[in-house]
Amino acid sequence: MDPLVKRELQRVDPDIPFRATLSHRHHTWAGTFHSRPELYIQPETTEEIQKIISLARKCRRRIVTVGCGHSPSDLTCTSSWMVNLDKYNRIIKVNSQSKVVVMQAGIRLHELDKELKSYALAMPNLGSINQQSIAGAIGTATHGSSTRHGILSQSVLGLKIILSNGRTVSCSTEQNLDLFRAALVSLGALGIITEVTFQAVPRFNIEWQQSLVPIESIKADWEYDLWTQAEFTRVWWFPYIKSAVKWRAEKSDKPLRSPKGSWMSGRLGYHVYHILLYAAQYIPRLLPAIEKFVITVQYGNADGKNNTGSSGVADGHAGLLMNCLYSQFVNEWAIPLAKGPEAITRLSAWLNGEEGSRIPFDSKGLYIHAPIEVRVSDTSRTTPRPYLDNTIPDGPTLYLNATLYRPYNLDPPCHERYYEAFEWLMKDLGGRPHWAKNFYQVSSEYTRQMYPELPEWLRVREEVDPEGMFLGDWHRRYLLPYVENMPLLPLEEKETNREHATGGGMDWSGEIPSKALSPQNSEESFDLMHGVEAEKSMMLDAGMDEDSIMLSRTD
C-alpha cells in the first residue's frame, strides 16, 4: 500500500473497518478488459463507504464502483480505487401492502429475486441476465423486452447517494429532482448509490412459446401485433438463413412446465457449438453453415416453415433470462421502433452482399456470428425521464444487439469491420448506443446531439463531484465536452495504456495526474447542494407504514 495512504488510514476513524485488498485483478465478465486497481475495497456499512470517500479525497484517488463487471467495455477499468458492494446487499424494508421495497444498492438481481420470492413479490421486468447489482443495472439503463415496460429505473421511487464530500443525499420525484433524474442513469459518475427504493409487483409465472419463422414474416407483422400481442416479446434474427426465432410470453397462473429440448441446448451442444465457433476463427466462411446447422438441429429445418417450435411455463424471473453462453462483444443500439424493418432490410442486404444496404463499407469476406437480438421497450410515458435515458422519448424503442462471440477468449476477426458498418447504420437511423455495451464510432459531440438534456446531467454532475472523483477516461470520451488542451479535473483518471492481455482481452492502465495529498483534513466535508437533507428522506419514510417489515440478517 502507498505509504501516504497507509499513513492517512491510521489517522482516520480507526474503529471503522477499511476492507481493502492490494492484489485484485479486475476483468469484465467477458474478459474483454482487465485492470489492476491500487485497492479493491468491499465495504459492509454506510460508515465504511463514507470512510472510503473521505480517504480518497484526502489521498487524491478516483473511485470506481463495480458489481459483476458485465459491461464488456472499459467503463469499470481503473488503476485507482475500486469499490465493490457485494457485501452491502441487504433488504432494508418491505411494505406488504404497497409492495415498495428498500434495499442496499449492492444486492445482485438474483439475490433480490430470492428475497422478493419470500414475500410473493417480483421485479416487473428483467433483461437477459440477473448477475448485475441493482445499482449497476439502474445506472446503465438496463432494459428487458416489452412495449408495456421501460428501462429498469422506471420502477425506482427513490435513491440514496454518498457524494464526493462524504454526505449521504436522498433524491426522488419529491426531493432533489434534478439529482434523481441524473442518478437514474448515473454511469457511476455522480457518487456511490447506497440505497434503492423500488416498486415491486406480485409474483408471477409466464407461459411462453417460440417458433422459427421467415424474417419476412417478422417484418410483415411489425406494424400489426408483433410487439403488442403479448406482454413480453423477443426476436433472435439469423441473417444468413433469413429466419428468426419469435419468442412471446404472457403472465400465467398455470403450473410450471419445462419445454422439450434438443441435445443442442444441453451441455454437449454447448461444447460442440463452442468448438465450431473456434474453427470459424480460422475459416470464417464456415459461419453461415454453422448457423444453418444449429438451427436445423434445434428446429428440424432452417427455412422457418412448418416447425412446431417449443413452449413452457416458467417462473417469471427465470423465464425472462437468457443463457449468454460464451465471452462476447455486445454492440446494442436503440432506434425508433418504426425504423426496425428498414434496419433489418439494410443490414441483411449488407451482410449477404446484396444491393440496397446504402452502407458505405465493403462486406466482402466478412462473416458474423448469429443471432442478432431484437428487443423493445417503451419509457415514453414515464415521468420524470432520466437525463441519459437512451430510449426514444415520443414512442416505443427498438434495440438491435449485434453480438459477436469470443470463442475461448479470442476476438473474432470480423468485429472491427462489422461494428464500423453496424454503427454507421444505427447512426443513420438516429440511434443511440446502449451505455453498458461495446461501441466505438461515437464521440462526445454525437452524444450531445442525441441527448438534448446532457447539459443538465453534466451540470448536476459538476455540482456533486466538482473534482472528478468518479470520472474516468470513458466518461471524458463519450460525455464530457471536448475542449482542446482542457486540463483534466483534479481527481479524473486518464487512460495511459492498453495492450493485449495474456489469455485474451486488453490490459487497461490509467493515472491521476496529481496525487499530492489534499490540504483538507480527512474529516472535513463541504456541502455542494442547496437544501440537501443529508441523512434522511421524508419520501422514503413516508412510503413505509406500520405494515412495513424491518429485516436484519447476520452473516
Side-chain angles (χ1 to χ4, degrees):
M1 182 182 294
D2 186 320
L4 294 177
V5 176
K6 189 173 183 179
R7 186 184 69 189
E8 289 302 309
L9 183 59
Q10 292 171 344
R11 292 178 175 180
V12 181
D13 302 318
D15 295 330
I16 298 176
F18 186 73
R19 308 174 196 275
T21 300
L22 293 169
S23 58
H24 181 77
R25 178 177 170 84
H26 168 71
H27 62 83
T28 60
W29 172 85
T32 46
F33 281 94
H34 307 257
S35 66
R36 292 186 181 275
E38 178 186 19
L39 294 179
Y40 179 76
I41 315 166
Q42 290 188 297
E44 298 182 11
T45 67
T46 302
E47 292 75 18
E48 291 178 36
I49 298 173
Q50 290 171 324
K51 179 175 180 175
I52 293 166
I53 291 176
S54 295
L55 279 169
R57 187 172 67 250
K58 181 66 176 177
C59 299
R60 317 311 288 159
R61 283 346 190 235
R62 178 197 176 199
I63 292 176
V64 174
T65 309
V66 66
C68 69
H70 199 265
S71 170
S73 75
D74 60 317
L75 175 61
T76 58
C77 288
T78 184
S79 296
S80 189
W81 290 7
M82 181 172 287
V83 174
N84 171 268
L85 298 182
D86 279 355
K87 297 181 180 180
Y88 192 81
N89 63 345
R90 292 173 172 81
I91 298 291
I92 300 171
K93 298 178 183 178
V94 176
N95 187 304
S96 57
Q97 293 188 354
S98 68
K99 302 175 181 60
V100 172
V101 182
V102 182
M103 68 200 76
Q104 293 178 331
I107 192 168
R108 300 290 185 95
L109 297 186
H110 64 89
E111 295 173 331
L112 174 58
D113 178 68
K114 184 178 179 179
E115 297 282 3
L116 292 178
K117 189 174 184 179
S118 64
Y119 299 98
L121 297 176
M123 300 174 65
N125 194 19
L126 275 173
S128 297
I129 68 164
N130 62 358
Q131 296 300 313
Q132 311 105 308
S133 68
I134 185 69
I138 293 167
T140 53
T142 295
H143 63 90
S145 190
S146 171
T147 55
R148 304 180 201 177
H149 299 277
I151 60 177
L152 189 60
S153 64
Q154 185 180 45
S155 299
V156 175
L157 304 178
L159 298 168
K160 283 189 178 181
I161 309 172
I162 302 182
L163 305 179
S164 63
N165 60 8
R167 301 290 299 275
T168 300
V169 179
S170 298
C171 58
S172 67
T173 57
E174 301 173 4
Q175 186 177 14
N176 297 316
L177 178 59
D178 286 355
L179 178 60
F180 186 56
R181 294 185 66 190
L184 285 174
V185 181
S186 70
L187 301 171
L190 305 180
I192 298 180
I193 295 175
T194 58
E195 191 173 295
V196 178
T197 301
F198 192 87
Q199 181 64 64
V201 298
R203 194 81 184 177
F204 60 91
N205 291 342
I206 56 169
E207 183 175 19
W208 60 268
Q209 57 183 353
Q210 67 180 22
S211 58
L212 185 72
V213 298
I215 191 62
E216 292 302 320
S217 173
I218 294 290
K219 292 193 290 184
D221 290 344
W222 200 276
E223 299 295 336
Y224 295 98
D225 62 354
L226 174 65
W227 301 109
T228 58
Q229 185 180 55
E231 181 169 356
F232 304 100
T233 305
R234 292 184 292 205
V235 170
W236 292 281
W237 168 35
F238 298 86
Y240 294 122
I241 62 173
K242 298 186 177 182
S243 296
V245 173
K246 179 171 63 176
W247 183 95
R248 286 175 170 173
E250 288 279 15
K251 291 176 182 174
S252 173
D253 294 327
K254 295 180 180 179
L256 302 183
R257 174 171 55 83
S258 298
K260 296 180 180 179
S262 72
W263 65 268
M264 197 68 198
S265 59
R267 180 175 297 181
L268 176 60
Y270 173 91
H271 292 292
V272 168
Y273 189 30
H274 208 178
I275 292 169
L276 290 173
L277 291 173
Y278 178 77
Q281 289 288 111
Y282 304 98
I283 313 175
R285 65 179 181 272
L286 290 175
L287 285 170
I290 292 172
E291 178 181 303
K292 184 174 182 179
F293 166 75
V294 170
I295 291 301
T296 300
V297 170
Q298 290 189 302
Y299 292 92
N301 58 63
D303 60 8
K305 300 177 181 178
N306 303 319
N307 73 83
T308 57
S310 59
S311 64
V313 180
D315 170 81
H317 181 96
L320 292 173
L321 300 178
M322 188 184 75
N323 187 346
C324 292
L325 295 177
Y326 322 111
S327 170
Q328 56 195 246
F329 290 116
V330 187
N331 197 337
E332 183 176 59
W333 286 61
I335 62 174
L337 181 62
K339 293 186 178 181
E342 178 186 352
I344 290 172
T345 298
R346 292 174 63 185
L347 187 57
S348 178
W350 187 78
L351 290 171
N352 288 288
E354 300 166 352
E355 295 183 356
S357 74
R358 306 196 305 279
I359 298 174
F361 302 100
D362 185 12
S363 65
K364 185 177 180 180
L366 180 141
Y367 299 93
I368 69 164
H369 300 157
I372 297 171
E373 188 177 28
V374 187
R375 295 186 289 172
V376 292
S377 73
D378 191 351
T379 314
S380 62
R381 299 179 296 273
T382 301
T383 56
R385 282 173 61 87
Y387 288 134
L388 295 185
D389 187 340
N390 65 356
T391 62
I392 308 306
D394 55 358
T397 295
L398 175 75
Y399 296 94
L400 279 181
N401 185 354
T403 298
L404 287 173
Y405 293 119
R406 301 178 64 247
Y408 301 103
N409 294 319
L410 296 176
D411 294 349
C414 66
H415 86 278
E416 291 183 358
R417 289 175 60 198
Y418 178 34
Y419 282 171
E420 181 180 39
F422 178 74
E423 292 186 26
W424 187 94
L425 175 61
M426 293 298 98
K427 288 194 285 186
D428 192 50
L429 295 172
R432 299 174 174 183
H434 190 304
W435 294 117
K437 305 301 172 71
N438 299 103
F439 50 92
Y440 306 93
Q441 313 299 320
V442 175
S443 64
S444 59
E445 180 181 357
Y446 181 80
T447 306
R448 287 197 301 276
Q449 293 173 359
M450 298 309 299
Y451 290 88
E453 292 187 301
L454 175 61
E456 290 300 303
W457 185 88
L458 291 171
R459 174 185 60 80
V460 173
R461 209 224 67 76
E462 184 176 0
E463 289 177 357
V464 299
D465 181 25
E467 291 193 295
M469 179 183 289
F470 299 98
L471 277 184
D473 200 89
W474 187 97
H475 302 99
R476 174 67 60 183
R477 196 185 317 147
Y478 297 122
L479 296 173
L480 274 65
Y482 174 76
V483 179
E484 189 173 0
N485 299 322
M486 182 175 67
L488 300 181
L489 295 175
L491 300 184
E492 180 182 346
E493 187 174 15
K494 179 182 180 180
E495 179 180 339
T496 57
N497 187 51
R498 66 171 67 185
E499 59 187 17
H500 291 285
T502 303
M506 303 296 295
D507 272 329
W508 187 101
S509 300
E511 68 173 7
I512 299 170
S514 175
K515 284 189 176 181
L517 286 180
S518 168
Q520 290 181 303
N521 292 325
S522 298
E523 295 85 352
E524 289 179 355
S525 184
F526 46 92
D527 190 356
L528 299 169
M529 300 186 66
H530 297 290
V532 165
E533 185 182 9
E535 293 296 338
K536 191 174 183 181
S537 166
M538 294 177 62
M539 188 284 296
L540 293 179
D541 284 349
M544 299 294 154
D545 57 22
E546 60 272 15
D547 293 320
S548 299
I549 303 171
M550 297 295 296
L551 301 179
S552 62
R553 187 164 66 195
T554 57
D555 294 327

